[in-house]
Amino acid sequence: MKKNRALWGCVGIAVVVLITGMLVAGVRNSKKSGKEENEAPVQNRIEDLETTEETNMDIFSIPGYINGADADDEQIICGISLPYNIQDTPIVIEGIGQYSGPFVEDGSDKPVANALAAVIKNDSDTVIEFAEIRFAVNDSEEAVFQISTIPAGKEVVVLEENGREYHEEDRLDLTDKLYAKQDFLSLMEDEVEITSEDGKLTVKNLTQEPLGTVYVRYKGKINNQYYLGGITYSCKVENVDADACVEAETKHFTAEGSQILMVEAVQE
């Protein structure tokens, strides 16, 4: 078992190198100027964002992530029997293990290896607007996971917010939780059309009324089932007047590696 873990650890580092292009495409800063050939309208409904892309990936094949137990092992990791339902919430912890790749939770994208990570599922028909899960580690330290904007049935690889390292001998004990839900996510499909290219979003006002400032909320994705990071990014598009078409640069958006989940207009 330990030999297998060591082998997987080596494989994990190799995987990080091989998939850097894919992960970074979803979360790294992109400051390209000019139009890209892949510029295309963003679909306006969450259900429309489901494509024919394969979504049968499981926690043992997520790029950059190594679960703390093998697929044929009993799923007790760091003292937690998995899957683990957080009481009075739809949050289900499906995996605990190590992650290597860009650290997305603070927006820095600094490279990390062996970071403590959890695979979390929203097991409900509503949106997880925000959640915070706190664990005592070995009765003396703390590990905190924060997640936001997780649609019904979706899953996310979330990193411990301080980049704590994963150690299989650690024991995690739940100490506290916060949870807020949201019934649906609006994309304002009747008011705006959004086009995208790496590092840039364009909002077209389809109405005859000024929308003020439009916030486009989006997440990095691994595929159509898994998001990368509890963090939800926000792109602020200002002065969206009637019939206007306004561009805004955004640090983490890529056409292939991001998914827009919410659009909100605010008169400031």
Side-chain angles (χ1 to χ4, degrees), residues 161-209:
E161 68 172 9
N162 295 309
R164 181 185 179 88
E165 288 190 352
Y166 168 77
H167 300 288
E168 64 178 348
E169 66 272 15
D170 284 344
R171 179 178 177 85
L172 303 179
D173 293 291
L174 181 69
T175 58
D176 199 8
K177 65 180 186 294
L178 293 173
Y179 162 67
K181 71 176 183 178
Q182 191 170 346
D183 290 333
F184 64 95
L185 296 171
S186 173
L187 289 169
M188 297 181 63
E189 58 263 30
D190 295 329
E191 290 91 352
V192 299
E193 179 183 278
I194 301 173
T195 55
S196 66
E197 54 184 298
D198 291 353
K200 184 185 296 183
L201 291 173
T202 301
V203 174
K204 181 180 180 181
N205 186 350
L206 301 177
T207 76
Q208 302 299 312
E209 300 294 331

Side-chain angles (χ1 to χ4, degrees), residues 78 135-142 164 167 169-173:
C78 295
F135 293 94
V137 183
N138 305 325
D139 297 323
S140 61
E141 299 177 18
E142 187 175 55
R164 181 185 179 88
H167 300 288
E169 66 272 15
D170 284 344
R171 179 178 177 85
L172 303 179
D173 293 291

